[in-house]
Amino acid sequence: MAGCSSAQIDTLRLAAPVIAPSMLACDFANVEREARRAEQAGAQVLHLDIMDGHFVPNLSFGLPVVKAIRRVSTVPLDVHLMISQPGRYLERFREAGADFLTIHIEEEPDPTALLDKIRSLGAAAGLSLNPPTPVEAVEPYLDSCDQILVMSVMPGFGGQEFDPVALDKLERLKAVASSRLLLSVDGGVNEKTIERCARAGAGMFVVGTAFFGFENYQQRLAELTDLADTFTDA
Ligand code: DX5
Ligand code: ZN
């Protein structure tokens, strides 16, 4: 359904701070249980990391897993495409159930056409930038985006150390971007780093290890949300 996902992004932006559990860190022997438990714990979105072993030095999961998670979850699926030539797969990830599709500026230096295509598919368009990439690289494209995903680790793996370079970028984007843009941060977000991310302007916080590494998902989600809430202006 065209446009539904931008409404979903608006809902999440207004619900800020939103924790987006990153399924890369879940128990893949029990994906259905993990997705359902995260949603029952209060997760309003699930972050799905797609890796092709080419754009990033790791392989994660692809279309069949997205389809399977779509079947067992009712929340928006925030699909992070860490793949080369993402334009080849946009339709298929949308058909598989992706509500948000995020591509990397490092792979698509002029992303306008792909961002427009994502929106034409009815998904919300996201643009991501890695720690070494200056925030100026994405600024010309903000009007074509519904989400900017600021990486605080080099993409490819969960459980890495948070890189504070993301904070300056979040502050800059908060200052220059329209208030309708969802600002997200991804990588090494935990109880020690989430407050700084919120203070810098993030509204959505992708959390893998620091969420799925805990027994009680509901308690963990509440802890992280409370920490972010202190500094989030909706
Ligand atoms: C890294 C992924 C992240 C990662 C986050 O390439 O894009 O979403 O799964 O995991 P943590 O929170 O463990 O850094
Ligand atoms: Zn990610």
Side-chain angles (χ1 to χ4, degrees):
M1 189 171 46
C4 67
S5 299
S6 52
Q8 287 171 325
I9 278 255
D10 282 344
T11 304
L12 290 179
R13 189 173 39 75
L14 295 171
V18 171
I19 306 299
S22 174
M23 295 294 286
L24 186 70
C26 85
D27 170 6
F28 269 95
N30 295 284
V31 175
E32 175 178 4
R33 186 198 68 191
E34 295 279 75
R36 290 190 192 280
R37 278 186 62 205
E39 189 170 341
Q40 284 151 15
Q44 303 169 77
V45 58
L46 292 176
H47 183 83
L48 309 185
D49 287 310
I50 311 302
M51 300 178 183
D52 65 357
H54 185 255
F55 177 69
V56 292
N58 197 5
L59 287 159
S60 60
F61 50 88
L63 292 162
V65 175
V66 174
K67 277 187 193 133
I69 293 173
R70 180 68 290 160
R71 285 205 312 272
V72 299
S73 173
T74 66
V75 298
L77 301 183
D78 174 34
V79 174
H80 180 188
L81 295 174
M82 289 165 277
I83 64 176
S84 300
Q85 300 175 311
R88 295 173 298 163
Y89 293 99
L90 297 177
E91 285 96 339
R92 281 188 270 176
F93 274 106
R94 178 63 177 153
E95 280 156 28
D99 297 290
F100 311 161
L101 281 166
T102 296
I103 60 177
H104 269 262
I105 189 76
E106 294 85 4
E107 178 61 21
E108 294 291 336
D110 180 358
T112 311
L114 287 193
L115 294 167
D116 291 349
K117 181 166 183 184
I118 292 170
R119 283 176 162 173
S120 73
L121 293 169
L127 193 54
S128 186
L129 64 162
N130 292 336
T133 303
V135 69
E136 291 76 14
V138 300
E139 288 189 28
Y141 310 108
L142 300 183
D143 288 344
S144 302
C145 297
D146 301 299
Q147 173 180 201
I148 295 287
L149 182 68
V150 179
M151 296 304 294
S152 33
V153 296
M154 279 305 283
F157 301 90
Q160 299 179 77
E161 198 67 27
F162 179 83
D163 182 339
V165 74
L167 301 174
D168 297 339
K169 298 179 188 179
L170 285 164
E171 283 175 1
R172 169 73 183 165
L173 289 166
K174 187 76 178 172
V176 301
S178 143
S179 58
R180 59 153 201 85
L181 190 65
L182 178 64
L183 296 182
S184 304
V185 60
D186 186 5
V189 178
N190 57 37
E191 65 285 355
K192 297 187 190 70
T193 58
I194 195 166
E195 291 174 280
R196 285 183 282 165
C197 295
R199 196 182 298 127
M204 188 154 90
F205 307 81
V206 177
V207 183
T209 313
F211 175 80
F212 284 108
F214 287 74
E215 192 45 45
N216 185 325
Y217 290 171
Q218 186 157 4
Q219 183 186 331
R220 189 59 178 163
L221 196 88
E223 282 165 1
L224 292 167
T225 305
D226 290 349
L227 286 169
D229 216 3
T230 331
F231 294 98
T232 306
D233 48 307

